[in-house]
Amino acid sequence: MQFRLNDMTCGGCARTVTKVIQSVDAEARIVTNPPTRVVEVQTSASREQIAAALREAGFPPSEQ
C-alpha cells in the first residue's frame, strides 16, 4: 500500500515514519521517499491501522 505524507520532508521525518509503522507491524517492509513524500508499505496490518498511527504521530496521509 502507498501513502502520500505531505509532512514527510526529510530523512529525519522518514526515519520517524518508519518507526511509527514498525510500532504497528515490526515485520513491515517500508520504502520512504521524502522528495516525493510517498511511503510504500508491505504489511499484514490494515490500511486503517497504519493511517491511524501516522495521523497520531503527526504525519496524516493525504487522500490519493
Side-chain angles (χ1 to χ4, degrees), residues 1-4 43 45-52 61-62 64:
M1 64 185 84
Q2 272 192 351
F3 297 94
R4 179 165 176 80
T43 179
S46 72
R47 182 174 189 85
E48 293 76 23
Q49 287 175 300
I50 300 295
S62 62
Q64 294 201 29

Side-chain angles (χ1 to χ4, degrees), residues 15-41:
R15 284 189 292 279
T16 300
V17 165
T18 297
K19 288 178 186 175
V20 167
I21 294 168
Q22 287 175 334
S23 75
V24 176
D25 177 8
E27 302 299 316
R29 291 188 177 181
I30 304 153
V31 177
T32 57
N33 190 335
T36 63
R37 300 182 180 178
V38 171
V39 60
E40 293 185 32
V41 184

